[in-house]
Each structure stands twice: as structure tokens, then as C-alpha cells.
Amino acid sequence: MAKVADNIIVKGIRGMLGDMLVFRQLNGQTIVSAKPKKPATRTAKQQEGQERFRLAVAYAKASMGNPQLKELYASRISARCTSAHQVAIADYLNAPRIDAIDASLYKGLAGGTITVSASDNFMVASVQVAIHTADGEVIESGSAAKGTDDRWIYATIQQHHGYASCQITATASDLPGNTAEKTIHLQTVD
């Protein structure tokens, strides 16, 4: 790969020359490289990655057709992602992450709070919280409200006498619909 600077002959050129050289523009510079060689066959993992990237590009194209989403993605343009389209692709390819579930203020009473710390490379769109028995029976579930920083707050609406043996599952979603889930087991005494 070669970088061309201040050459009036190739400045701004892009595309293929013959069947050997490829010219492209990156951050205002002209890059010259040999024509890439495509492998004869792809592994299953390569095909899976290619399909995932194809879906990411399709999501980004659809997002650019929505003025509100396009503006939202454009607000996060950086040196790494230089267009709203690239930001949308990166968002699709990176699922959110649940860092912690804090149930220290939940004592089985209505109005108790459960705090979920969730993050994403772009933004977490929603967090759902479910309280269920050790057998998996859902006792209550609902949406958490966005708090400060990466925290989401869920206020319980029912009283649960057997809360000490409950499990709490949080599910975070981002704009493309990627999800992350984390479950904690309460180990307290009534």
C-alpha cells in the first residue's frame, strides 16, 4: 500500500487501473494498493461474518432513510467512524452489555428499586427487567426508566413474600435490536 501526497495526476482518483492497482480515498489522501485477491472458498465462520456484515449494511442503509435516525447517528461521527452510515454499521455489529444488576434496595415490597448498569458502543435503547421464581415462573416484569449515566431504574409494582429465592433478569436492547441478558440470584433471608 502506498500513500500519494500532492500529486496532481492521481489526486482524487479512485477505482481500479488495469487489473492490478486499486486507488481509493481515505481521509483526503489517495491510497494505492494491489488488487485484493479473493479466496477460492470461504470457511463457515467467514461466510457467517460476511452475512452479518451484509445485514449491518442493510440496516445502515435503512437507517439513513429515516431522518431522525440519520441525525442521531450523524451526531456520533468520529475519527474512527467518519459517516453516519459507518456509525450505524458499528452499532449493528456491537451488542449492548449489562455490567451489573443492583438489587440491594429491593426487599420484596412494591416500590423497591432495581438498578441495571447497561452500556453500548452507541446507545442502549431500552432495558427490561423480570423477577421470577427459581423455577422460572415470572412474578413481575416491565421496562426500566433511564437514569443517569448508564444506569436504568426499575421500580417494582407488587409485593413478593418469597423474594429471597427469586431471580432477576435484565435484558438490554440497542437501536438495531441487539440484546444482552444477565440474571442474578437473590440470596437474602426474609
Side-chain angles (χ1 to χ4, degrees):
M1 174 177 74
K3 293 182 182 180
V4 180
D6 297 328
N7 185 323
I8 60 170
I9 296 173
V10 295
K11 185 174 179 121
I13 191 172
R14 39 173 78 155
M16 193 176 319
L17 179 64
D19 200 28
M20 297 179 62
L21 295 177
V22 175
F23 293 84
R24 60 188 172 99
Q25 298 296 312
L26 183 64
N27 296 327
Q29 292 184 324
T30 303
I31 308 293
V32 183
S33 61
K35 177 184 172 186
K37 296 176 184 170
K38 293 184 180 179
T41 59
R42 289 187 168 81
T43 66
K45 190 172 183 177
Q46 287 173 326
Q47 289 174 349
E48 182 182 308
Q50 192 174 32
E51 176 63 11
R52 190 166 172 250
F53 191 76
R54 185 189 69 73
L55 292 171
V57 170
Y59 169 77
K61 283 182 181 179
S63 297
M64 296 306 100
N66 178 324
Q68 291 87 7
L69 269 180
K70 184 175 182 177
E71 184 178 330
L72 192 59
Y73 282 125
S75 71
R76 297 287 292 273
I77 292 174
S78 67
R80 186 168 184 210
C81 292
T82 58
S83 70
H85 188 263
Q86 289 178 348
V87 175
I89 289 172
D91 189 25
Y92 184 92
L93 294 173
N94 293 285
R97 186 177 68 244
I98 296 178
D99 302 309
I101 300 173
D102 178 6
S104 61
L105 298 177
Y106 174 61
K107 304 297 182 204
L109 302 173
T113 59
I114 298 167
T115 303
V116 178
S117 296
S119 58
D120 185 59
N121 68 314
F122 186 71
M123 72 179 278
V124 175
S126 67
V127 173
Q128 299 293 315
V129 175
I131 302 171
H132 44 93
T133 65
D135 298 334
E137 179 185 340
V138 176
I139 299 168
E140 118 176 32
S141 65
S143 297
K146 178 77 171 105
T148 58
D149 300 322
D150 289 337
R151 293 187 178 91
W152 293 75
I153 313 298
Y154 177 72
T156 59
I157 54 174
Q158 296 179 15
Q159 185 169 338
H160 312 294
H161 294 290
Y163 81 97
S165 60
C166 289
Q167 298 174 356
I168 298 172
T169 300
T171 305
S173 301
D174 63 5
L175 289 174
N178 298 315
T179 60
E181 187 174 283
K182 186 172 189 169
T183 299
I184 63 168
H185 304 274
L186 296 179
Q187 301 294 324
T188 59
V189 178
D190 272 331

PDB file of all heavy atoms in Angstrom, residues 115-119 122-127 143-154:
ATOM      1  N   THR A 115     -31.516  -1.481  40.054  1.00  0.00           N
ATOM      2  CA  THR A 115     -30.716  -0.657  39.157  1.00  0.00           C
ATOM      3  C   THR A 115     -29.899  -1.554  38.240  1.00  0.00           C
ATOM      4  O   THR A 115     -29.225  -2.474  38.694  1.00  0.00           O
ATOM      5  CB  THR A 115     -29.779   0.270  39.946  1.00  0.00           C
ATOM      6  OG1 THR A 115     -30.562   1.062  40.835  1.00  0.00           O
ATOM      7  CG2 THR A 115     -28.983   1.176  39.027  1.00  0.00           C
ATOM      8  N   VAL A 116     -29.969  -1.278  36.954  1.00  0.00           N
ATOM      9  CA  VAL A 116     -29.229  -2.040  35.950  1.00  0.00           C
ATOM     10  C   VAL A 116     -28.232  -1.095  35.285  1.00  0.00           C
ATOM     11  O   VAL A 116     -28.609  -0.028  34.810  1.00  0.00           O
ATOM     12  CB  VAL A 116     -30.177  -2.634  34.883  1.00  0.00           C
ATOM     13  CG1 VAL A 116     -29.395  -3.385  33.823  1.00  0.00           C
ATOM     14  CG2 VAL A 116     -31.222  -3.527  35.538  1.00  0.00           C
ATOM     15  N   SER A 117     -26.964  -1.490  35.271  1.00  0.00           N
ATOM     16  CA  SER A 117     -25.944  -0.725  34.552  1.00  0.00           C
ATOM     17  C   SER A 117     -25.748  -1.396  33.201  1.00  0.00           C
ATOM     18  O   SER A 117     -25.305  -2.548  33.139  1.00  0.00           O
ATOM     19  CB  SER A 117     -24.624  -0.704  35.325  1.00  0.00           C
ATOM     20  OG  SER A 117     -24.791  -0.022  36.539  1.00  0.00           O
ATOM     21  N   ALA A 118     -26.117  -0.692  32.129  1.00  0.00           N
ATOM     22  CA  ALA A 118     -26.024  -1.240  30.780  1.00  0.00           C
ATOM     23  C   ALA A 118     -25.356  -0.224  29.870  1.00  0.00           C
ATOM     24  O   ALA A 118     -25.590   0.980  29.987  1.00  0.00           O
ATOM     25  CB  ALA A 118     -27.417  -1.581  30.258  1.00  0.00           C
ATOM     26  N   SER A 119     -24.516  -0.718  28.950  1.00  0.00           N
ATOM     27  CA  SER A 119     -23.816   0.176  28.034  1.00  0.00           C
ATOM     28  C   SER A 119     -23.796  -0.412  26.628  1.00  0.00           C
ATOM     29  O   SER A 119     -24.050  -1.593  26.425  1.00  0.00           O
ATOM     30  CB  SER A 119     -22.392   0.424  28.536  1.00  0.00           C
ATOM     31  OG  SER A 119     -21.692  -0.799  28.652  1.00  0.00           O
ATOM     32  N   PHE A 122     -23.029   2.659  20.985  1.00  0.00           N
ATOM     33  CA  PHE A 122     -23.788   3.822  20.546  1.00  0.00           C
ATOM     34  C   PHE A 122     -24.761   4.266  21.636  1.00  0.00           C
ATOM     35  O   PHE A 122     -24.583   5.288  22.249  1.00  0.00           O
ATOM     36  CB  PHE A 122     -24.526   3.539  19.233  1.00  0.00           C
ATOM     37  CG  PHE A 122     -25.205   4.740  18.682  1.00  0.00           C
ATOM     38  CD1 PHE A 122     -24.464   5.767  18.136  1.00  0.00           C
ATOM     39  CD2 PHE A 122     -26.572   4.867  18.732  1.00  0.00           C
ATOM     40  CE1 PHE A 122     -25.077   6.918  17.644  1.00  0.00           C
ATOM     41  CE2 PHE A 122     -27.202   6.002  18.236  1.00  0.00           C
ATOM     42  CZ  PHE A 122     -26.452   7.026  17.691  1.00  0.00           C
ATOM     43  N   MET A 123     -25.808   3.480  21.868  1.00  0.00           N
ATOM     44  CA  MET A 123     -26.733   3.788  22.957  1.00  0.00           C
ATOM     45  C   MET A 123     -27.614   2.587  23.273  1.00  0.00           C
ATOM     46  O   MET A 123     -27.946   1.807  22.387  1.00  0.00           O
ATOM     47  CB  MET A 123     -27.609   5.003  22.630  1.00  0.00           C
ATOM     48  CG  MET A 123     -28.667   4.756  21.574  1.00  0.00           C
ATOM     49  SD  MET A 123     -29.699   6.191  21.222  1.00  0.00           S
ATOM     50  CE  MET A 123     -30.888   6.093  22.531  1.00  0.00           C
ATOM     51  N   VAL A 124     -27.944   2.438  24.523  1.00  0.00           N
ATOM     52  CA  VAL A 124     -28.913   1.441  24.948  1.00  0.00           C
ATOM     53  C   VAL A 124     -30.286   2.062  24.748  1.00  0.00           C
ATOM     54  O   VAL A 124     -30.557   3.164  25.232  1.00  0.00           O
ATOM     55  CB  VAL A 124     -28.700   1.035  26.425  1.00  0.00           C
ATOM     56  CG1 VAL A 124     -29.782   0.083  26.895  1.00  0.00           C
ATOM     57  CG2 VAL A 124     -27.315   0.419  26.615  1.00  0.00           C
ATOM     58  N   ALA A 125     -31.152   1.386  24.009  1.00  0.00           N
ATOM     59  CA  ALA A 125     -32.483   1.929  23.707  1.00  0.00           C
ATOM     60  C   ALA A 125     -33.494   1.604  24.796  1.00  0.00           C
ATOM     61  O   ALA A 125     -34.374   2.411  25.084  1.00  0.00           O
ATOM     62  CB  ALA A 125     -32.967   1.393  22.362  1.00  0.00           C
ATOM     63  N   SER A 126     -33.378   0.407  25.392  1.00  0.00           N
ATOM     64  CA  SER A 126     -34.322   0.028  26.435  1.00  0.00           C
ATOM     65  C   SER A 126     -33.732  -1.073  27.308  1.00  0.00           C
ATOM     66  O   SER A 126     -32.828  -1.791  26.885  1.00  0.00           O
ATOM     67  CB  SER A 126     -35.651  -0.459  25.835  1.00  0.00           C
ATOM     68  OG  SER A 126     -35.444  -1.677  25.144  1.00  0.00           O
ATOM     69  N   VAL A 127     -34.265  -1.170  28.521  1.00  0.00           N
ATOM     70  CA  VAL A 127     -33.900  -2.245  29.451  1.00  0.00           C
ATOM     71  C   VAL A 127     -35.192  -2.807  30.026  1.00  0.00           C
ATOM     72  O   VAL A 127     -36.039  -2.056  30.518  1.00  0.00           O
ATOM     73  CB  VAL A 127     -32.970  -1.749  30.580  1.00  0.00           C
ATOM     74  CG1 VAL A 127     -32.753  -2.836  31.626  1.00  0.00           C
ATOM     75  CG2 VAL A 127     -31.632  -1.277  30.016  1.00  0.00           C
ATOM     76  N   SER A 143     -40.542  -2.396  32.000  1.00  0.00           N
ATOM     77  CA  SER A 143     -39.462  -1.570  31.464  1.00  0.00           C
ATOM     78  C   SER A 143     -38.818  -0.751  32.571  1.00  0.00           C
ATOM     79  O   SER A 143     -39.506  -0.218  33.443  1.00  0.00           O
ATOM     80  CB  SER A 143     -39.993  -0.613  30.403  1.00  0.00           C
ATOM     81  OG  SER A 143     -40.515  -1.329  29.322  1.00  0.00           O
ATOM     82  N   ALA A 144     -37.503  -0.646  32.510  1.00  0.00           N
ATOM     83  CA  ALA A 144     -36.763   0.223  33.422  1.00  0.00           C
ATOM     84  C   ALA A 144     -36.704   1.617  32.813  1.00  0.00           C
ATOM     85  O   ALA A 144     -36.740   1.774  31.589  1.00  0.00           O
ATOM     86  CB  ALA A 144     -35.360  -0.321  33.642  1.00  0.00           C
ATOM     87  N   ALA A 145     -36.622   2.625  33.655  1.00  0.00           N
ATOM     88  CA  ALA A 145     -36.525   4.013  33.203  1.00  0.00           C
ATOM     89  C   ALA A 145     -35.059   4.426  33.158  1.00  0.00           C
ATOM     90  O   ALA A 145     -34.258   4.028  34.016  1.00  0.00           O
ATOM     91  CB  ALA A 145     -37.296   4.931  34.154  1.00  0.00           C
ATOM     92  N   LYS A 146     -34.704   5.240  32.171  1.00  0.00           N
ATOM     93  CA  LYS A 146     -33.324   5.709  32.029  1.00  0.00           C
ATOM     94  C   LYS A 146     -32.989   6.620  33.191  1.00  0.00           C
ATOM     95  O   LYS A 146     -33.702   7.568  33.491  1.00  0.00           O
ATOM     96  CB  LYS A 146     -33.174   6.463  30.698  1.00  0.00           C
ATOM     97  CG  LYS A 146     -31.795   7.028  30.459  1.00  0.00           C
ATOM     98  CD  LYS A 146     -30.829   5.947  30.042  1.00  0.00           C
ATOM     99  CE  LYS A 146     -29.500   6.526  29.593  1.00  0.00           C
ATOM    100  NZ  LYS A 146     -28.445   6.352  30.555  1.00  0.00           N
ATOM    101  N   GLY A 147     -31.900   6.303  33.877  1.00  0.00           N
ATOM    102  CA  GLY A 147     -31.412   7.139  34.967  1.00  0.00           C
ATOM    103  C   GLY A 147     -30.230   7.961  34.485  1.00  0.00           C
ATOM    104  O   GLY A 147     -30.138   8.321  33.311  1.00  0.00           O
ATOM    105  N   THR A 148     -29.299   8.218  35.367  1.00  0.00           N
ATOM    106  CA  THR A 148     -28.094   8.954  34.998  1.00  0.00           C
ATOM    107  C   THR A 148     -27.033   7.998  34.484  1.00  0.00           C
ATOM    108  O   THR A 148     -27.024   6.815  34.823  1.00  0.00           O
ATOM    109  CB  THR A 148     -27.539   9.736  36.205  1.00  0.00           C
ATOM    110  OG1 THR A 148     -27.270   8.811  37.261  1.00  0.00           O
ATOM    111  CG2 THR A 148     -28.522  10.784  36.679  1.00  0.00           C
ATOM    112  N   ASP A 149     -26.138   8.524  33.687  1.00  0.00           N
ATOM    113  CA  ASP A 149     -25.043   7.746  33.102  1.00  0.00           C
ATOM    114  C   ASP A 149     -25.605   6.530  32.371  1.00  0.00           C
ATOM    115  O   ASP A 149     -26.507   6.659  31.580  1.00  0.00           O
ATOM    116  CB  ASP A 149     -24.015   7.344  34.169  1.00  0.00           C
ATOM    117  CG  ASP A 149     -23.387   8.557  34.855  1.00  0.00           C
ATOM    118  OD1 ASP A 149     -23.147   9.564  34.162  1.00  0.00           O
ATOM    119  OD2 ASP A 149     -23.161   8.502  36.075  1.00  0.00           O
ATOM    120  N   ASP A 150     -25.079   5.355  32.674  1.00  0.00           N
ATOM    121  CA  ASP A 150     -25.528   4.122  32.027  1.00  0.00           C
ATOM    122  C   ASP A 150     -26.483   3.334  32.917  1.00  0.00           C
ATOM    123  O   ASP A 150     -26.646   2.134  32.754  1.00  0.00           O
ATOM    124  CB  ASP A 150     -24.318   3.243  31.677  1.00  0.00           C
ATOM    125  CG  ASP A 150     -23.491   3.815  30.539  1.00  0.00           C
ATOM    126  OD1 ASP A 150     -24.047   4.607  29.760  1.00  0.00           O
ATOM    127  OD2 ASP A 150     -22.311   3.458  30.428  1.00  0.00           O
ATOM    128  N   ARG A 151     -27.115   3.997  33.875  1.00  0.00           N
ATOM    129  CA  ARG A 151     -27.995   3.308  34.821  1.00  0.00           C
ATOM    130  C   ARG A 151     -29.455   3.382  34.386  1.00  0.00           C
ATOM    131  O   ARG A 151     -29.928   4.403  33.922  1.00  0.00           O
ATOM    132  CB  ARG A 151     -27.839   3.914  36.211  1.00  0.00           C
ATOM    133  CG  ARG A 151     -26.468   3.657  36.793  1.00  0.00           C
ATOM    134  CD  ARG A 151     -26.402   4.122  38.239  1.00  0.00           C
ATOM    135  NE  ARG A 151     -25.109   3.843  38.796  1.00  0.00           N
ATOM    136  CZ  ARG A 151     -24.088   4.697  38.765  1.00  0.00           C
ATOM    137  NH1 ARG A 151     -24.236   5.871  38.208  1.00  0.00           N
ATOM    138  NH2 ARG A 151     -22.932   4.370  39.293  1.00  0.00           N
ATOM    139  N   TRP A 152     -30.140   2.277  34.597  1.00  0.00           N
ATOM    140  CA  TRP A 152     -31.575   2.164  34.328  1.00  0.00           C
ATOM    141  C   TRP A 152     -32.234   1.707  35.622  1.00  0.00           C
ATOM    142  O   TRP A 152     -31.731   0.804  36.300  1.00  0.00           O
ATOM    143  CB  TRP A 152     -31.815   1.151  33.211  1.00  0.00           C
ATOM    144  CG  TRP A 152     -31.297   1.613  31.881  1.00  0.00           C
ATOM    145  CD1 TRP A 152     -29.996   1.657  31.482  1.00  0.00           C
ATOM    146  CD2 TRP A 152     -32.064   2.117  30.799  1.00  0.00           C
ATOM    147  NE1 TRP A 152     -29.909   2.154  30.215  1.00  0.00           N
ATOM    148  CE2 TRP A 152     -31.173   2.438  29.761  1.00  0.00           C
ATOM    149  CE3 TRP A 152     -33.424   2.312  30.595  1.00  0.00           C
ATOM    150  CZ2 TRP A 152     -31.591   2.946  28.541  1.00  0.00           C
ATOM    151  CZ3 TRP A 152     -33.836   2.815  29.374  1.00  0.00           C
ATOM    152  CH2 TRP A 152     -32.928   3.128  28.367  1.00  0.00           C
ATOM    153  N   ILE A 153     -33.374   2.302  35.968  1.00  0.00           N
ATOM    154  CA  ILE A 153     -34.042   2.035  37.248  1.00  0.00           C
ATOM    155  C   ILE A 153     -35.394   1.364  36.986  1.00  0.00           C
ATOM    156  O   ILE A 153     -36.219   1.882  36.239  1.00  0.00           O
ATOM    157  CB  ILE A 153     -34.289   3.341  38.046  1.00  0.00           C
ATOM    158  CG1 ILE A 153     -33.033   4.214  38.094  1.00  0.00           C
ATOM    159  CG2 ILE A 153     -34.817   3.023  39.442  1.00  0.00           C
ATOM    160  CD1 ILE A 153     -31.842   3.595  38.772  1.00  0.00           C
ATOM    161  N   TYR A 154     -35.585   0.230  37.643  1.00  0.00           N
ATOM    162  CA  TYR A 154     -36.881  -0.450  37.581  1.00  0.00           C
ATOM    163  C   TYR A 154     -37.514  -0.376  38.958  1.00  0.00           C
ATOM    164  O   TYR A 154     -36.903  -0.771  39.956  1.00  0.00           O
ATOM    165  CB  TYR A 154     -36.722  -1.920  37.159  1.00  0.00           C
ATOM    166  CG  TYR A 154     -38.040  -2.667  37.161  1.00  0.00           C
ATOM    167  CD1 TYR A 154     -38.993  -2.422  36.180  1.00  0.00           C
ATOM    168  CD2 TYR A 154     -38.340  -3.580  38.162  1.00  0.00           C
ATOM    169  CE1 TYR A 154     -40.215  -3.084  36.182  1.00  0.00           C
ATOM    170  CE2 TYR A 154     -39.552  -4.256  38.173  1.00  0.00           C
ATOM    171  CZ  TYR A 154     -40.486  -3.997  37.188  1.00  0.00           C
ATOM    172  OH  TYR A 154     -41.697  -4.647  37.190  1.00  0.00           O
TER     173      TYR A 154
END
